[in-house]
């Protein structure tokens, strides 16, 4: 492809390290879309004839159909998707194919193709996140007032509601959604026409190609346009944070589905059995989702390191961007879909949640708050008294509501019968009406807000 400059072909090892066709063929559709936009623009600006542009357009459509139906012969000698497509175009249409690369370089070409590919994946991630959020909202709606233990340090802390717990993940995935949308808005500038690095002397129309490819505008600086991989880094960063969120929820599902917790029952459709232990039902999907952050964040780290210290403008190092992004994207979309499926299918065991909600002295804070509110005791003193009562209940092997009024008055004389009204789990959650709190009325407001957001 480089004509006269070379007397000898590449060493086999050179070809092996150089070629990217093994993976960048995944960008064939984007490459052909970019070439069609470029050819149409070259004709509109009079750089090539309408006849040549028409031959190129027809030829590219033939190439695309060959790739789609699997008859296209990819060649390692032709390095990458760009040269594979162009060489085949030449086979099909002959001389006009040689005019397609006017005012363009593989440097702006690859940046354009890759951006289009990543943009599609951002759209897929948006759809996957929306579906997951909807599944969580349905769970939250069903159990807005189901009580369960809330944890800190994975120790029972205070009772919360199932709906509140589900809505916490809606907030996390909601931030992931906004990161995806931000990244898409920021990346949507066209590199096409930056050429090798300096722009071109041909009278090209970059606004035209940008519009044809759905970009908001051409990238402003040609050096930056061919060397920028921020869009891929942002994609991987957003994916990594989302994968962290997915892993946290997956971990909860793994714990919750154990015989010790029984908070949820995962569906057969998202569980597996054991080849030796007939009783087993394993949460493999949740475990694999938990693990995906490893490769996704690995890709993020890898590309950060590839880009670190690269001088302007294009360097071949940047060819190492694609496999990381492809793998991370595939696994991110799969993890989102698997999580959505699991959440849709899972059953929360209301009775187990309720039984656990009152365990571990979960209403001790309510007792202390009652003393502050009713007896006007300073919170620190109320905390101390309550701690003594918890120790008493623990030594008797009972829960706080099981202590007698006499026992409690032995620790603080001012305590009255009214105390039992706050020791119940339902009362506890109903009282947490502060903005964003766990009271079912608050949770329903959060659900309503998100339902509105999703409609918009
Ligand atoms: N396959 C290359 C890549 O992925 C395309 C750009 C090659 N440009 C160059 N000047 N060799 O980065």
């Amino acid at each position: 492809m480089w004509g006269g400059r070379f007397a000898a072909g590449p060493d086999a090892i050179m070809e092996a390290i150089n070629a990217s066709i093994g993976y960048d063929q995944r960008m064939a559709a984007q490459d052909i879309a970019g070439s069609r936009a470029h050819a149409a623009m070259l004709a509109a600006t009079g750089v090539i004839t309408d006849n040549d542009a028409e031959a190129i357009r027809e030829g590219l459509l033939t190439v695309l159909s060959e790739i789609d139906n699997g008859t296209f012969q990819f060649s390692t000698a032709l390095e990458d998707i760009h040269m594979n497509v162009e060489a085949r175009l030449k086979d099909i249409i002959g001389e006009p194919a040689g005019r397609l690369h006017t005012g363009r370089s593989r440097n702006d070409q690859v940046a354009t193709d890759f951006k289009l590919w990543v943009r599609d994946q951002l759209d897929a991630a948006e759809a996957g996140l929306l579906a997951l959020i909807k599944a969580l909202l349905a769970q939250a709606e069903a159990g807005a007032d189901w009580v369960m233990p809330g944890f800190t340090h994975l120790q029972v802390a205070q009772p919360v509601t199932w709906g509140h717990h589900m809505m916490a993940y809606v907030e996390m995935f909601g931030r992931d959604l906004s990161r995806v949308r931000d990244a898409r808005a920021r990346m949507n500038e066209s590199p096409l026409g930056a050429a090798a690095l300096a722009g071109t002397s041909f009278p090209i129309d970059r606004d035209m190609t940008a519009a044809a490819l759905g970009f908001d505008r051409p990238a402003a600086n040609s050096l930056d346009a061919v060397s920028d991989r921020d869009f891929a880094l942002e994609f991987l960063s957003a994916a990594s944070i989302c994968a962290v969120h997915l892993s946290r929820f997956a971990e909860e599902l793994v714990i919750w589905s154990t015989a010790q917790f029984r908070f949820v029952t995962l569906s057969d459709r998202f569980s597996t059995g054991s080849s030796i232990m007939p009783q087993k039902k394993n949460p493999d999907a949740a475990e694999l989702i938990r693990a995906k952050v490893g490769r996704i964040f690995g890709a993020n780290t890898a590309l950060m390191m590839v880009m670190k210290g690269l001088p302007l403008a294009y360097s071949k190092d940047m060819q190492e961007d694609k496999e990381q992004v492809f793998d991370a994207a595939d696994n991110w979309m799969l993890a989102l879909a698997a999580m959505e499926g699991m959440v849709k299918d899972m059953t929360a065991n209301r009775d187990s949640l309720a039984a656990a909600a009152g365990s571990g002295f979960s209403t001790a804070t309510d007792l202390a708050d009652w003393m502050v509110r009713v007896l006007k005791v300073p919170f620190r003193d109320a905390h101390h008294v309550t701690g003594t009562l918890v120790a008493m209940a623990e030594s008797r092997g009972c829960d706080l509501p099981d202590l007698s009024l006499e026992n409690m008055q032995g620790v603080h004389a001012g305590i009255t019968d009214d105390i039992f009204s706050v020791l119940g789990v339902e009362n506890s959650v109903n009282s947490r009406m502060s903005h964003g709190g766990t009271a079912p009325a608050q949770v329903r407001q959060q659900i309503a807000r998100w339902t509105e957001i999703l409609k918009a």
Side-chain angles (χ1 to χ4, degrees):
M1 297 291 281
W2 349 100
R5 172 79 172 76
F6 285 76
D11 189 272
I13 302 286
M14 179 61 209
E15 195 172 287
I17 195 173
N18 201 35
S20 54
I21 188 61
Y23 46 87
D24 68 13
Q25 53 182 271
R26 283 190 73 170
M27 305 191 307
Q30 288 78 9
D31 191 72
I32 288 168
S35 288
R36 286 182 56 191
H38 185 66
M41 179 278 291
L42 290 179
T45 53
V47 176
I48 64 174
T49 65
D50 287 342
N51 281 347
D52 283 348
E54 183 52 23
I56 290 170
R57 198 186 79 87
E58 291 286 327
L60 286 171
L61 287 175
T62 305
V63 175
L64 184 61
S65 69
E66 289 177 1
I67 292 173
D68 284 345
N69 66 31
T71 55
F72 191 96
Q73 296 285 319
F74 290 105
S75 152
T76 310
L78 291 167
E79 269 192 50
D80 55 26
I81 186 63
H82 324 295
M83 299 213 288
N84 269 267
V85 168
E86 193 182 321
R88 179 69 189 129
L89 183 67
K90 183 140 192 280
D91 292 344
I92 300 169
I93 67 168
E95 199 242 298
R99 302 187 194 279
L100 170 61
H101 213 52
T102 313
R104 182 179 79 168
S105 153
R106 274 189 299 158
N107 298 348
D108 58 338
Q109 192 178 357
V110 72
T112 304
D113 296 0
F114 196 31
K115 262 198 175 180
L116 291 173
W117 197 91
V118 168
R119 198 176 67 184
D120 284 348
Q121 296 300 309
L122 286 169
D123 291 343
E126 175 174 24
L129 281 162
L130 283 169
L132 174 55
I133 288 171
K134 281 189 188 136
L136 287 163
L137 275 176
Q139 284 284 352
E141 235 159 7
D145 57 0
W146 299 355
V147 291
M148 66 179 284
F151 299 87
T152 59
H153 316 264
L154 200 54
Q155 305 285 326
V156 170
Q158 293 173 346
V160 296
T161 48
W162 171 258
H164 197 217
H165 203 115
M166 292 301 110
M167 292 307 290
Y169 283 102
V170 168
E171 292 295 328
M172 286 189 234
F173 294 122
R175 286 193 298 276
D176 292 331
L177 183 63
S178 96
R179 259 184 286 279
V180 161
R181 288 172 172 166
D182 285 354
R184 193 195 194 284
R186 194 160 25 253
M187 65 97 81
N188 205 28
E189 296 184 340
S190 173
L192 196 57
L197 75 166
T200 174
S201 57
F202 292 99
I204 61 170
D205 182 348
R206 292 191 60 209
D207 288 296
M208 183 180 167
T209 47
L213 296 169
F215 288 112
D216 295 328
R217 64 193 80 84
N221 181 301
S222 62
L223 288 170
D224 175 53
V226 295
S227 74
D228 164 36
R229 291 295 181 274
D230 290 8
F231 61 95
L233 293 173
E234 274 201 66
F235 175 80
L236 293 173
S237 306
S240 297
I241 297 173
C242 180
V244 167
H245 292 156
L246 287 167
S247 81
R248 295 180 68 177
F249 192 30
E251 167 71 354
E252 299 215 276
L253 294 179
V254 169
I255 295 173
W256 289 354
S257 60
T258 58
Q260 289 71 24
F261 269 76
R262 292 187 196 282
F263 283 7
V264 295
T265 306
L266 300 176
S267 74
D268 289 355
R269 288 170 7 115
F270 284 92
S271 307
T272 55
S274 157
S275 55
I276 177 169
M277 295 166 284
Q279 85 284 11
K280 294 280 294 234
K281 186 170 158 190
N282 294 327
D284 289 36
E287 294 171 271
L288 288 163
I289 292 169
R290 186 173 61 185
K292 290 297 183 195
V293 65
R295 62 203 297 166
I296 293 172
F297 187 66
N300 189 19
T301 308
L303 187 55
M304 286 279 186
M305 291 307 100
V306 166
M307 295 306 295
K308 177 189 172 296
L310 286 188
L312 293 179
Y314 176 86
S315 298
K316 193 64 173 260
D317 308 51
M318 287 155 67
Q319 179 167 287
E320 292 285 314
D321 55 4
K322 288 175 240 358
E323 282 169 296
Q324 303 293 342
V325 171
F326 292 164
D327 184 73
D330 290 344
N331 284 283
W332 187 17
M333 302 319 147
L334 190 55
L336 282 171
M339 187 57 100
E340 184 214 343
M342 254 194 318
V343 172
K344 263 190 182 158
D345 277 18
M346 75 183 178
T347 314
N349 303 325
R350 192 176 177 178
D351 295 341
S352 310
L353 291 168
S359 68
F361 315 108
S362 66
T363 54
T365 316
D366 299 275
L367 198 163
D369 287 351
W370 180 89
M371 293 182 71
V372 171
R373 206 168 45 243
V374 178
L375 306 182
K376 311 296 176 205
V377 174
F379 182 76
R380 279 293 157 224
D381 300 341
H383 184 284
H384 187 80
V385 170
T386 307
T388 310
L389 290 170
V390 165
M392 181 189 280
E394 194 169 42
S395 72
R396 291 170 191 224
C398 68
D399 280 321
L400 284 174
D402 305 325
L403 291 175
S404 69
L405 185 58
E406 293 69 41
N407 288 154
M408 293 204 224
Q409 287 172 335
V411 179
H412 192 285
I415 295 178
T416 69
D417 211 28
D418 185 47
I419 189 72
F420 291 101
S421 71
V422 300
L423 294 183
V425 165
E426 310 276 343
N427 290 329
S428 169
V429 298
N430 284 328
S431 72
R432 294 208 152 59
M433 274 297 288
S434 52
H435 183 98
T438 203
Q442 279 295 327
V443 172
R444 291 200 174 96
Q445 274 183 33
Q446 297 171 29
I447 295 171
R449 188 175 64 87
W450 270 101
T451 308
E452 281 308 306
I453 292 173
L454 293 191
K455 264 192 227 153

